[in-house]
């Protein structure tokens, strides 16, 4: 007897096989003919499989007729062709073992639509819903694609630290890691907290990015990528922000900005193509139930080349568009989501790569352009913008000239001694290099059409919320 997943048992080539399936009951319907129809799901697919449990089974009256949504069972029986609409197979049960009942008076996931907000309160149960099962299967496929893409291109996966003393973004929005007593911390003679007595002998934080450490390995091994959790202590309650999220960050030695753009475009096309090829049933669900523009939006990624536009050109397009924006558009200001979406959805109708941003709004490590207009210093930064989401990738060519790097750090009031090792990379065999970051959750949002980023991660961490 074969142990199969529900997904496999739904395929016509299993007809005639004796199988064992385990999962959770979605619905039970009793027939006047003395048997019951059970809808079984095990998370392997969006669709359920129908199990026919005959009244002659030994536990039919005492257990099977009491099964309700959420109850767990193991079914053994034969796969047969189904006459039901929309299903190729069904199981005729020889036995149904009940592992656990779910009290229908208490089990919250009843056969009705629940709001996303309510489902967040039941994060331990929401994976059993169609929506969150589909989200997690697509998320899993995206993660597979990330590794397959970079491994196929000869990258090494490098595990950069989660605990760090460096602030990559220079914004200071970092979670502190400490073993000091917060009520009675040791003090320096000047009255400040004495971090020398802390666990690491200095102030330490949860990482906001693995980029700086990734540069170390890129300038030794050539092509690397990081993929892991990152953290931002930003007090932002929006549909686009999390305090804990996952990032993939490739870094490549001897790459310039155009190489970086090419890599990002190939990367996004690969992810989208894999999802469309392997997650058809789930993607149809998102198209029908979540966002009816989902598939059309993804086809724009795979269909043609991304438009490449300088920041300055984008500002000109926005200021001459005649469109009224909530946030004013002017050279030197960062673009807002409404500006990004106008460019991708209304003007170009396709993904866009913006590049050469004003230096004043970008971090210290981005390479300064030599051909800047007076009063308009720019850096070789790039953002990939997609319809429906806006920015999905941010990256740059890195500044490889020590004198320029140090000048930029001073401009941003950074302590050069804190970055002694980063500066030494420019002293010992410096090379042009570039990389970017893709937030996994933003990518899952883009692919699925889910409106809130809290609904594309298993357990969202946001201001005031660390439940589960």
């Amino acid at each position: 007897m074969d142990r199969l997943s529900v997904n496999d048992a739904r395929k016509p080539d299993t007809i005639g096989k004796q199988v064992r399936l385990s999962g959770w009951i979605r619905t039970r319907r009793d027939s006047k003919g003395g048997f019951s129809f059970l809808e079984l799901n095990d998370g392997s697919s969006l669709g359920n499989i129908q199990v026919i449990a005959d009244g002659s089974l030994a536990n039919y009256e005492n257990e099977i007729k009491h099964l309700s949504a959420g109850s767990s069972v193991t079914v053994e029986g034969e796969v047969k062709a189904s006459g039901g609409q929309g299903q190729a197979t069904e199981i005729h049960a020889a036995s149904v073992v009940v592992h656990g009942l779910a009290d229908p008076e208490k089990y919250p996931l009843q056969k009705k639509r629940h709001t996303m907000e309510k489902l967040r309160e039941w994060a331990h149960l929401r994976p059993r819903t169609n929506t969150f099962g589909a989200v997690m299967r697509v998320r899993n496929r995206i993660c597979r694609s990330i590794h397959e893409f970079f491994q196929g291109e000869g990258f090494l996966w490098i595990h950069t630290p989660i605990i760090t003393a460096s602030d990559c973004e220079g914004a200071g929005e970092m979670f502190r890691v400490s073993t000091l007593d917060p009520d009675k911390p040791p003090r320096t003679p000047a009255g400040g907290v004495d971090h020398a007595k802390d666990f690491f002998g200095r102030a330490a934080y949860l990482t906001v990015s693995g980029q700086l450490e990734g540069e170390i390995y890129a300038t030794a091994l050539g092509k690397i990528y990081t993929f892991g959790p990152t953290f931002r202590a930003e007090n932002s309650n929006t549909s686009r922000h999390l305090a804990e999220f996952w990032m993939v960050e490739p870094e490549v030695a001897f790459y310039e900005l155009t190489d970086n753009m090419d890599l990002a475009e190939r990367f996004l096309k690969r992810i989208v193509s894999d999802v469309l090829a392997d997650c058809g049933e789930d993607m149809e669900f998102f198209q029908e139930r979540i966002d009816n523009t989902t598939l059309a939006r993804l086809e724009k990624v795979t269909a043609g080349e991304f438009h490449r536009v300088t920041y300055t050109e984008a500002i000109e397009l926005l200021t001459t568009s005649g469109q009224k924006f909530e946030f004013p558009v002017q050279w030197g200001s960062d673009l807002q989501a409404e500006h990004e979406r106008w460019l991708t959805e209304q003007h170009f109708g396709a993904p866009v790569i913006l590049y050469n941003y004003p230096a004043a709004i970008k971090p210290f490590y981005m390479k300064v352009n030599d051909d800047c207009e007076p009063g308009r210093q720019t850096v070789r930064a790039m953002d990939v913008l997609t319809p429906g989401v806006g920015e999905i990738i941010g990256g740059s060519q890195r500044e490889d000239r020590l004198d320029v790097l140090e000048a930029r750090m001073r401009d941003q009031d950074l302590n050069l001694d804190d970055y002694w090792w980063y500066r030494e990379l420019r002293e010992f065999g410096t090379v042009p290099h570039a990389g970017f970051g893709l937030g996994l959750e933003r990518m899952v949002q883009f692919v699925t059409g889910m409106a809130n980023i809290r609904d594309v991660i298993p357990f969202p961490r946001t201001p005031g919320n660390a439940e589960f």
Side-chain angles (χ1 to χ4, degrees):
M1 181 174 292
D2 297 329
R3 177 180 285 278
L4 296 184
S5 67
V6 167
N7 188 45
D8 287 337
R10 294 170 64 209
K11 298 173 182 176
D13 60 6
T14 61
I15 292 172
K17 289 185 177 181
Q18 296 292 325
V19 300
R20 179 186 296 118
L21 305 177
S22 297
W24 293 266
I25 299 296
R26 287 293 179 87
T27 64
R28 187 199 85 242
R29 178 168 56 88
D30 300 325
S31 169
K32 294 179 180 179
F35 57 90
S36 296
F37 296 100
L38 311 176
E39 291 288 326
L40 186 68
N41 190 283
D42 65 354
S44 61
S45 65
L46 180 70
N48 310 321
I49 194 164
Q50 180 172 271
V51 177
I52 299 176
D54 192 79
S56 62
L57 294 174
N59 61 340
Y60 182 76
E61 291 292 338
N62 292 334
E63 289 187 315
I64 294 173
K65 287 188 70 173
H66 296 279
L67 291 173
S68 58
S71 300
S72 56
V73 298
T74 291
V75 175
E76 293 183 353
E78 182 180 353
V79 182
K80 294 193 175 184
S82 175
Q85 188 175 3
Q87 58 189 33
T89 65
E90 62 189 22
I91 307 296
H92 288 228
S95 71
V96 177
V97 176
V98 178
H99 300 290
L101 295 172
D103 186 343
E105 298 298 321
K106 297 180 180 179
Y107 187 62
L109 300 180
Q110 297 302 314
K111 196 174 182 180
K112 64 176 182 178
R113 284 205 172 189
H114 301 283
T115 65
M116 297 298 173
E117 291 79 6
K118 178 57 68 174
L119 288 174
R120 285 177 215 137
E121 298 176 14
W122 304 324
H124 59 310
L125 297 174
R126 72 177 185 171
R128 302 187 191 185
T129 65
N130 286 337
T131 299
F132 287 93
V135 166
M136 291 307 144
R137 283 186 294 272
V138 169
R139 181 185 172 105
N140 175 73
R141 188 61 187 96
I142 291 172
C143 292
R144 272 183 56 200
S145 294
I146 288 168
H147 286 296
E148 289 168 356
F149 173 81
F150 286 117
Q151 294 292 326
E153 295 232 351
F155 283 68
L156 297 178
W157 182 20
I158 299 298
H159 302 94
T160 51
I162 290 176
I163 299 174
T164 181
S166 301
D167 182 0
C168 175
E169 298 301 321
E173 296 169 333
M174 304 176 76
F175 289 103
R176 189 180 298 279
V177 177
S178 176
T179 57
L180 296 178
D181 184 344
D183 296 323
K184 297 179 181 179
R187 299 287 181 179
T188 64
V193 175
D194 188 356
H195 294 292
K197 293 184 171 62
D198 208 342
F199 185 90
F200 294 105
R202 62 186 300 178
Y205 310 89
L206 294 179
T207 185
V208 299
S209 168
Q211 178 204 313
L212 301 189
E213 294 86 353
E215 288 185 54
I216 294 173
Y217 278 82
T219 53
L221 303 176
K223 300 164 73 172
I224 68 95
Y225 70 105
T226 74
F227 188 18
T230 52
F231 307 85
R232 301 280 169 90
E234 183 180 2
N235 190 15
S236 181
N237 282 287
T238 77
S239 62
R240 291 164 53 88
H241 292 89
L242 290 166
E244 174 185 297
F245 55 98
W246 282 65
M247 283 269 285
V248 57
E249 298 176 288
E251 195 75 31
V252 191
F254 307 104
Y255 255 35
E256 299 200 3
L257 186 62
T258 52
D259 304 306
N260 210 30
M261 294 181 189
D262 294 342
L263 180 69
E265 184 168 342
R266 291 199 309 276
F267 179 48
L268 287 181
K269 286 178 181 292
R270 170 63 183 273
I271 290 175
V272 170
S273 296
D274 286 348
V275 169
L276 291 175
D278 295 344
C279 302
E281 186 177 44
D282 290 322
M283 293 310 301
E284 287 293 340
F285 171 83
F286 291 122
Q287 174 74 16
E288 294 173 8
R289 298 294 185 91
I290 302 299
D291 180 353
N292 62 12
T293 68
T294 298
L295 294 179
R297 187 171 62 243
L298 298 183
E299 286 166 3
K300 289 179 180 178
V301 172
T302 59
E305 294 183 356
F306 294 6
H307 295 269
R308 299 187 182 188
V309 182
T310 67
Y311 167 89
T312 300
E313 291 168 341
I315 292 295
E316 291 173 358
L317 289 172
L318 290 161
T319 53
T320 59
S321 67
Q323 182 84 10
K324 290 187 177 180
F325 297 107
E326 179 182 354
F327 295 93
V329 180
Q330 59 183 5
W331 200 98
S333 297
D334 212 352
L335 297 184
Q336 302 297 316
E338 61 175 338
H339 308 142
E340 296 170 347
R341 294 190 65 173
W342 182 85
L343 289 166
T344 58
E345 295 171 22
Q346 296 187 45
H347 186 75
F348 289 106
V352 176
I353 304 179
L354 293 188
Y355 63 99
N356 287 352
Y357 279 78
I361 61 174
K362 290 298 182 181
F364 66 93
Y365 52 76
M366 296 186 175
K367 188 176 181 73
V368 177
N369 282 306
D370 294 325
D371 56 348
C372 301
E373 299 177 27
R376 286 196 169 190
Q377 187 181 68
T378 60
V379 291
R380 295 184 192 176
M382 70 169 204
D383 286 337
V384 181
L385 315 179
T386 56
V389 171
E391 181 193 342
I392 200 165
I393 281 179
S396 71
Q397 185 175 340
R398 316 310 188 187
E399 183 56 75
D400 55 284
R401 299 163 295 184
L402 180 60
D403 58 335
V404 179
L405 176 69
E406 291 182 341
R408 290 273 290 148
M409 294 174 76
R410 291 189 188 97
D411 288 344
Q412 297 188 16
D413 296 324
L414 297 177
N415 184 345
L416 271 64
D417 291 339
D418 290 342
Y419 298 87
W420 64 270
W421 52 270
Y422 190 70
R423 290 158 47 223
E424 281 194 358
L425 295 178
R426 277 72 181 167
E427 291 186 274
F428 306 142
T430 189
V431 297
H433 58 291
F436 60 79
L438 168 76
L440 174 62
E441 285 71 29
R442 288 271 180 94
M443 189 66 201
V444 179
Q445 265 194 291
F446 172 66
V447 168
T448 61
M450 294 292 288
N452 197 308
I453 200 166
R454 303 177 192 202
D455 300 324
V456 296
I457 191 169
F459 302 101
R461 298 289 180 255
T462 53
N465 177 41
E467 193 67 60
F468 304 101

